[in-house]
Structure formats: structure tokens, C-alpha cells
Amino acid sequence: MLAPQIGTQWLVILCAAMAASGTNLDSGMCPATDAGCSGIPPDQARYDNYRIYNVEFENQEQIELFQKLEEQSDSLTFIGHAREVGQKLSILVAAHRVADIADLLKTYKVKHRILTYNFQEKIDRNLGEVLPESIDASQLDWQHFFHLKTIYEWLDKMAEKYPTRVTVLDMGSSTQGNAIKGVKLSSDNNNKAIFIESGIHAREWIAPATATYIINQLLTSQDPKVQKLANEYNWIIFPCVNPDGYKYTFEHDRMWRKNRQLFGTCRGVDLNRNYPDHWNSTGSSSDPTRYDFAGPSAGSELETQRLIEFIRANVGKEQIKTYIALHSYSQMLMFPYGYTKERLSNYDDLQEFGKKASAAIKAESGRDYVSGSLYETIYPSSGGSMDWAHSEGGIPIAYTFELRGPPDSQDLFILPAVEIQPTASEAFTAIRTIVEAAAEKGYYK
Ligand code: 0X9
Ligand code: ZN
């Protein structure tokens, strides 16, 4: 622990005393939290005048330039790494680096577009689409974003409302002691099961919103095709497998991705690099300051261990045959492997189901979703939950979805709330298509 901890009750007393005595709170006297203090700014990261650049690499020199830039600077947020000629990459550039980056782009003749001039505006709009933590969970909808507390209370409510069909599950607690809650929807204990994991990356708010949408559809849809899927399969859905990170994005930094494990001066393991399957072999970092830090060792994180234990205990008992991980953004439907371009044994099947699912999305909304193996489609990365679920967990059908927006999104992970409903509907359509196509091939026999 680097800083001495002061209990909240002491802060309140201290702040009240300072306010009563007219102490100037701007003088630096108030301890490093705003709990109970009014008039001081909240401890919240801001992105005023941060720009999003989309660059395209035309030669090796440009790639090396951007590799150096990423290595040297924490004021550039890379969405992926510079890897190959022809690649396009989005980078969030801190306001104080704009002049410098503009100059480098010009000097090295890097093809680029500016997608957004003030990223904070996107965040402000998005925070305005969050309903307060104090609301009743019956107000949960798919036109707003919701705090962890509301999502969890809504799961409880659904279990109260549909007691014969819904069981609330708890994987155990996270690093900071939050529960990792989910539900099992079941109408027949002999059904094969589909497992959905979402929210492993904290800032990808569309993922938990999509998970609650799917739960709601399976319980309330009048569409006979959806009812058939709800009756013939059991669904195990965990909307938020990184609860500490998710909470942090509401309270302190909308762009946080990892969990909140402490490493001296910095925090966080990328939970989607922490799984014990070819751990830290490619597309991850050993540096805890990085967004794709794989952790100090394979499966080091409590959140990873909870999910592994759950799958191990239930894959046979619940007959889990399908694993879906929900992420954003880029509009992709990907299957293993992430760590190698080697093809898995049922590559052709998963390729075929993925193609059918993207065609179904195209027919529904006109959106383009690319499908293929993760390694080939997005970028090599090891230690992902999907690879583990397939290789070690023994689940034959495994996908990672990158939901909206498009790869050159002006919003990055800050998807506007009007897009929740259509995005979630697309994801559910893709899942239904995959399950129906896999059923035809005998995967659920
Ligand atoms: O980088 C990731 O973890 C995922 N992309 S995201 O923008 N949502 O962060 C995709 C890669 C997933 N990798 C594996 N499952 N191996
Ligand atoms: Zn993600």
C-alpha cells in the first residue's frame, strides 16, 4: 500500500469540520477522495480535446514509428498494436500530444483521418445515458446503460418473476470483493447448455447490456422460434465477469479495461489475456502499465479462477456445448484460436456457422460483421477465455463477438444508447443462427 488509508467515516468528519471552519477545500487539505466533500471536483479521468486518429500503415518505417510511440507514451491509447502494412489503427491522442502527433504524421507521410476532435463530448453524452444507481431494477431497459447494482438487482427480480425458470448464480467474488453474478435459464435439466460471458473488458458497456437483452428475450419473447430455443436449451449467462472494472468505469474512468488488481504504482490485469492456455505467448504484455497486461502468471486473477472453476464444475454436469464471449467494438464473429493460426479440428464448421451468422445480421440490419478465426480476423492474442473454454474446457463451439460499432468508429467503446437495442438484437440473431446451424450438424445430440 503506497498511501495511508483513511476510513470513510474520518473523511466525512474531516470534511464536515473543514467546511464548518471555512477551510478552503481547494487548498489541498481534503484527502484524496471527494467522499462527503462538496465543491471539489470528482476523481474522474477527463478526455477534453483528446482526438481519435485513424492511421493506415504503408511501409515498415511507419509501423516501427508507431511501435516506438506506443512503447514510449502513456498519453496515446492504442486500440490494437502496429503490426503490418495495410493495417488501419485507431489511436486516442491526449490533448497535449496533438501538435506533436500531427507533426509526426506529416513528417513520415502517414495516411490518416481524424475521427473525433473532443472525446470528452462522447463520454459526457454517454454518462447522460446512465440511469442513477438508486433506481428500482424494474426500470432496467435497453435505452440506457446501468450500474452493476441495477443489473444484479434485475437478475434477482427476474428470478422472483420466473421462479421455475430462472436460478441466480454466483461464481464467487472478485479481487475487490464484488460478486460475479449470473443466471441459469432452464426448462428441462436434461437440455444442453449455452454459456455466455460478457463484460470481461470493463469499458465495453454494450456487452453487459446485450447479455441482459438476451436474458429478457429468452424469458419474454412471443416469437415461437425464440421460445423454442428457450425451451430446448439451458442458458447460463454472466453479464459482468469483471465487476470491479465495470464499477470503476462508472465512478472514475470511462476508458478502463482491465480488472483492478494492484501492482505497486499501477493497476489491472487484462482478464482476456490471463487464461492458462498458451499464456503470454503472443499479443499480450508483461508490463502491468499496459492495457493488455497478461498478469504475473497464468490464471493469476481471482476473476479468471472463478470462471475456470465454474466451467470445470459445470461443463459436464450442465452439458455446456457452446461458449460465447461478448466484447466490443469492430463487428466481428470470431472462433479459436487467438494464439495461433493453426486450425482447430472443427474449423470448417465454425467458419460455416460464423458466415451464416454474419449473413443473418446483414439481412436484419444491413450491418457488416466479419467472421473467421480470431487470429486471422482481429490480431494474434493469447490467454483469452474463448481459447481456454475450447481447448481446456472442452467446449466444441466457442466464439468471441466484437459488437458495434464499425472498426473506424468515432466512438470507440462509447456506443450511443440508441444503438443498444439493435446491437443486442444482432448479437442474439447471430447466437440463434450459430446454435441452429450447430444443431443441424448434431453438436447438441
Ligand atoms: O483484445 C481483445 O481481448 C479482444 N478485443 S477487444 O477490443 N474487445 O479488447 C479480442 C481478442 C480476444 N482474444 C482472445 N480471445 N484470445
Ligand atoms: Zn473486449
Side-chain angles (χ1 to χ4, degrees):
M1 205 48 67
L2 290 176
Q5 290 286 296
I6 303 171
T8 314
Q9 68 274 35
W10 287 109
L11 271 177
V12 174
I13 294 165
L14 177 63
C15 292
M18 288 164 83
S21 67
T23 308
N24 180 3
L25 293 176
D26 291 335
S27 67
M29 286 294 289
C30 201
T33 169
D34 53 336
C37 294
S38 59
I40 59 164
D43 299 334
Q44 243 172 21
R46 291 193 61 89
Y47 294 85
D48 302 274
N49 302 316
Y50 277 49
R51 285 186 186 182
I52 302 169
Y53 281 84
N54 191 261
V55 298
E56 182 175 348
F57 304 122
E58 292 181 304
N59 56 52
Q60 200 54 35
E61 185 191 34
Q62 294 175 348
I63 294 168
E64 280 160 25
L65 174 78
F66 276 83
Q67 286 172 341
K68 267 200 205 106
L69 278 171
E70 186 181 10
E71 219 178 274
Q72 286 165 357
S73 178
D74 69 349
S75 40
L76 307 173
T77 305
F78 278 61
I79 314 298
H81 303 291
R83 291 181 299 109
E84 61 197 13
V85 172
Q87 179 195 0
K88 288 182 179 169
L89 190 67
S90 289
I91 302 161
L92 180 63
V93 177
H96 72 281
R97 294 297 302 279
V98 159
D100 178 30
I101 294 301
D103 167 64
L104 286 175
L105 290 169
K106 208 168 152 190
T107 307
Y108 288 89
K109 299 189 175 53
V110 183
K111 227 169 135 179
H112 67 274
R113 286 189 296 153
I114 298 171
L115 302 178
T116 295
Y117 284 87
N118 183 1
F119 195 59
Q120 186 62 38
E121 280 174 4
K122 304 278 184 192
I123 293 177
D124 288 343
R125 183 211 60 216
N126 184 242
L127 295 177
E129 297 168 338
V130 177
L131 291 193
E133 209 172 359
S134 56
I135 60 157
D136 188 272
S138 58
Q139 284 178 259
L140 187 134
D141 61 21
W142 294 274
Q143 280 81 48
H144 299 89
F145 292 100
F146 294 93
H147 288 266
L148 183 71
K149 177 173 171 279
T150 313
I151 294 175
Y152 281 179
E153 285 172 5
W154 182 81
L155 296 180
D156 293 336
K157 265 205 186 330
M158 295 313 260
E160 276 166 32
K161 206 167 163 188
Y162 303 97
T164 58
R165 295 173 64 196
V166 183
T167 317
V168 174
L169 305 169
D170 187 345
M171 270 186 197
S173 47
S174 65
T175 307
Q176 295 182 323
N178 291 299
I180 305 173
K181 275 172 77 164
V183 284
K184 176 182 167 189
L185 313 181
S186 164
S187 42
D188 181 344
N189 260 336
N190 295 318
N191 284 346
K192 307 288 188 299
I194 294 153
F195 184 95
I196 302 178
E197 157 228 299
S198 77
I200 203 169
H201 288 147
R203 61 195 174 188
E204 298 165 13
W205 285 7
I206 186 58
T210 298
T212 58
Y213 175 90
I214 293 171
I215 294 167
N216 190 54
Q217 284 292 308
L218 288 165
L219 291 171
T220 65
S221 173
Q222 296 304 308
D223 180 342
K225 280 184 158 174
V226 175
Q227 290 179 343
K228 190 168 179 284
L229 277 179
N231 291 330
E232 291 184 355
Y233 300 90
N234 292 340
W235 298 75
I236 299 170
I237 304 179
F238 283 87
C240 209
V241 298
N242 176 12
D244 303 350
Y246 189 67
K247 279 183 83 148
Y248 193 76
T249 59
F250 283 76
E251 289 159 10
H252 298 291
D253 185 354
R254 181 63 186 83
M255 285 295 280
W256 190 256
R257 166 182 169 96
K258 304 184 285 180
N259 77 351
R260 293 291 302 157
Q261 181 66 266
L262 184 65
F263 297 95
T265 55
C266 63
R267 284 187 193 263
V269 171
D270 182 345
L271 296 173
N272 211 31
R273 300 290 184 278
N274 188 237
Y275 281 76
D277 179 64
H278 300 85
W279 177 77
N280 209 11
S281 57
T282 181
S284 58
S285 170
S286 302
D287 175 352
T289 66
R290 298 282 150 179
Y291 76 84
D292 54 1
F293 175 45
S297 61
S300 57
E301 301 312 292
L302 263 186
E303 295 82 357
T304 310
Q305 292 160 19
R306 299 303 191 206
L307 204 139
I308 287 176
E309 283 159 18
F310 183 90
I311 296 290
R312 283 204 175 125
N314 289 286
V315 67
K317 201 166 76 179
E318 298 288 346
Q319 305 185 81
I320 302 173
K321 300 288 175 198
T322 300
Y323 189 99
I324 311 273
L326 299 176
H327 288 252
S328 71
Y329 62 98
S330 283
Q331 299 178 191
M332 293 168 174
L333 310 176
M334 305 173 296
F335 50 86
Y337 299 102
Y339 75 93
T340 175
K341 60 172 183 291
E342 300 288 299
R343 295 185 167 192
L344 68 183
S345 58
N346 58 341
Y347 181 95
D348 291 341
D349 285 348
L350 297 192
Q351 176 78 284
E352 182 193 319
F353 308 157
K355 292 256 181 292
K356 281 189 176 158
S358 10
I361 290 177
K362 183 79 179 168
E364 174 176 312
S365 65
R367 289 278 175 150
D368 290 308
Y369 278 65
V370 176
S371 78
S373 90
L374 196 140
Y375 188 100
E376 291 162 355
T377 309
I378 185 164
Y379 40 67
S381 68
S382 56
S385 62
M386 172 186 73
D387 281 1
W388 181 88
H390 179 79
S391 305
E392 311 286 326
I395 302 176
I397 301 163
Y399 286 86
T400 295
F401 289 4
E402 297 286 3
L403 304 173
R404 288 192 194 184
D408 63 348
S409 166
Q410 303 179 341
D411 307 309
L412 305 181
F413 307 93
I414 320 289
L415 192 72
V418 288
E419 293 202 50
I420 297 172
Q421 200 280 336
T423 306
S425 175
E426 282 168 3
F428 192 39
T429 295
I431 294 172
R432 287 161 58 189
T433 308
I434 290 166
V435 170
E436 282 160 10
E440 266 178 42
K441 285 250 157 104
Y443 276 93
Y444 303 110
K445 285 245 168 73

